[in-house]
């Protein structure tokens, strides 16, 4: 039966005769086995008429897999860590899989896992965003499809056709590097700023973009760049030491304060300045001049609200 599940999972369609020939069994035996699999929940359905046979619904089932206790614990907490994301690309798939997985664990393993609940976490800040949009982007990557999105940026909302390269999460946000057919270049899209997303099969994917992965993002020294010169209080050091954008360049002083010369792509200037603004008095921008002027302008705009 396991071999039968593996066989029909690997095929889009099949006939009873094909399976009978493959396993050296009678058509009657194969038909009975298919009925049994259907009663067990394997989504098999028959196709009538010429060229008919059997097919599987899109949500196919996988054969049973054996796990060691340590593998079971590792998988359980890998899935549970997704609980701290507001949305994930596969909807409720991780939760339902985890429930099934937990249900069949031995009682003693369940007890050990229960003792670790809420004591082992992979924390991620809560960021509200659409599960449907994430799922559409993931489907586009899997199916090699272009996506039409409504995207909100500083310049307002625009409708764009994009070809996603990948999805990754950072500080609770999901990001989608993609080729933008409107701008004719690769752009970074923050998923919570995508209002809607639909697959668009009327536009052909670019083969050169399809070959890219998240590892192919351009590095900073390949782009026009500037260096932010920063000084941090001890509290500021504490806030940025876990931020991958600043931590590699952070130099700690004996009194707990710190300094950093951070090279950034010039196109990311506003993004980094917004991050620094949120640190308030715990960071001082020492250069370049355009960064200092940005801070002064921000302070002046804020102070006018309280005159």
């Amino acid at each position: 039966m396991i071999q039968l599940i593996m066989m029909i999972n690997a095929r889009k369609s099949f006939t009873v005769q094909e399976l009978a020939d493959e396993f050296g069994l009678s058509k009657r035996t194969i038909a009975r086995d298919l009925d049994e699999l259907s009663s067990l929940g394997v989504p098999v359905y028959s196709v009538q008429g010429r060229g008919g046979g059997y097919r599987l619904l899109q949500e196919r089932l996988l054969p049973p897999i054996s796990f060691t206790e340590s593998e079971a614990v590792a998988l359980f907490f890998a899935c549970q860590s997704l609980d701290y994301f507001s949305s994930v690309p596969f909807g409720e798939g991780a939760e339902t899989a985890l429930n099934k997985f937990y249900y069949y664990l031995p009682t003693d393993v369940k007890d050990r896992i229960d003792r670790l609940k809420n004591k082992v976490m992979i924390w991620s800040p809560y960021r509200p965003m659409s599960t449907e949009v994430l799922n559409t982007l993931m489907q586009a990557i899997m199916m090699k499809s272009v996506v039409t999105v409504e995207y909100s940026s500083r310049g307002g909302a625009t409708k764009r056709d994009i070809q996603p390269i990948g999805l990754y999460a950072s500080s609770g946000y999901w990001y989608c590097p993609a080729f933008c057919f409107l701008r004719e270049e690769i752009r970074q899209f923050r998923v919570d700023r995508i209002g809607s997303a639909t697959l668009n099969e009327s536009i052909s994917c670019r083969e050169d973009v399809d070959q890219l992965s998240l590892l192919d993002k351009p590095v900073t020294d390949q782009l026009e760049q500037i260096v932010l010169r920063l000084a941090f209080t001890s509290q500021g050091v504490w806030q940025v030491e876990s931020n991958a954008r600043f931590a590699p360049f952070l130099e700690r002083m004996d009194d707990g304060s710190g300094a950093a010369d951070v090279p950034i792509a010039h196109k990311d200037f506003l993004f980094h300045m917004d991050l620094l603004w949120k640190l308030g008095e715990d960071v001082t921008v020492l250069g370049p001049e355009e960064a200092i002027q940005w801070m002064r302008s921000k302070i002046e705009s804020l102070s006018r609200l309280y005159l």
Side-chain angles (χ1 to χ4, degrees), residues 83-126:
D83 289 346
Y84 302 100
F85 283 92
S86 61
S87 301
V88 290
F90 21 84
E92 297 179 354
E95 182 178 355
T96 56
L98 191 62
N99 290 338
K100 291 179 182 179
F101 188 66
Y102 181 78
Y103 180 81
Y104 287 104
L105 288 176
T107 302
D108 60 326
V109 177
K110 286 183 182 179
D111 290 340
R112 284 193 281 275
I113 287 177
D114 288 342
R115 285 195 290 271
L116 290 174
K117 284 182 178 178
N118 297 323
K119 296 185 179 180
V120 177
M121 296 181 178
I122 301 177
W123 180 254
S124 177
Y126 182 87

Side-chain angles (χ1 to χ4, degrees), residues 219-244:
V219 296
T220 301
D221 58 8
Q222 294 175 335
L223 304 171
E224 181 185 358
Q225 63 176 327
I226 60 175
V227 178
L228 296 175
R229 293 186 292 111
L230 310 169
F232 298 97
T233 65
S234 57
Q235 181 66 19
V237 169
W238 183 81
Q239 292 187 70
V240 301
E241 63 185 357
S242 61
N243 189 316

Side-chain angles (χ1 to χ4, degrees), residues 66-185:
S66 298
F67 293 97
T68 65
E69 180 178 327
S70 60
E71 289 171 339
V73 173
L75 286 173
F76 185 88
F77 282 102
C79 289
Q80 193 184 56
S81 67
L82 299 173
D83 289 346
Y84 302 100
F85 283 92
S86 61
S87 301
V88 290
F90 21 84
E92 297 179 354
E95 182 178 355
T96 56
L98 191 62
N99 290 338
K100 291 179 182 179
F101 188 66
Y102 181 78
Y103 180 81
Y104 287 104
L105 288 176
T107 302
D108 60 326
V109 177
K110 286 183 182 179
D111 290 340
R112 284 193 281 275
I113 287 177
D114 288 342
R115 285 195 290 271
L116 290 174
K117 284 182 178 178
N118 297 323
K119 296 185 179 180
V120 177
M121 296 181 178
I122 301 177
W123 180 254
S124 177
Y126 182 87
R127 314 287 190 188
M129 65 191 71
S130 168
T131 299
E132 290 76 14
V133 168
L134 271 172
N135 182 260
T136 300
L137 295 173
M138 186 179 72
Q139 290 296 322
I141 296 168
M142 295 172 63
M143 299 168 60
K144 194 178 176 181
S145 175
V146 171
V147 184
T148 299
V149 301
E150 296 281 349
Y151 191 71
S152 298
S153 61
R154 290 178 182 272
T158 56
K159 186 175 182 179
R160 308 191 192 191
D161 296 310
I162 64 173
Q163 181 178 340
I165 294 172
L167 284 170
Y168 71 92
S170 177
S171 300
Y173 290 111
W174 283 94
Y175 295 89
C176 179
F179 179 81
C180 177
F181 286 86
L182 176 64
R183 307 300 184 194
E184 296 188 337
E185 64 180 1

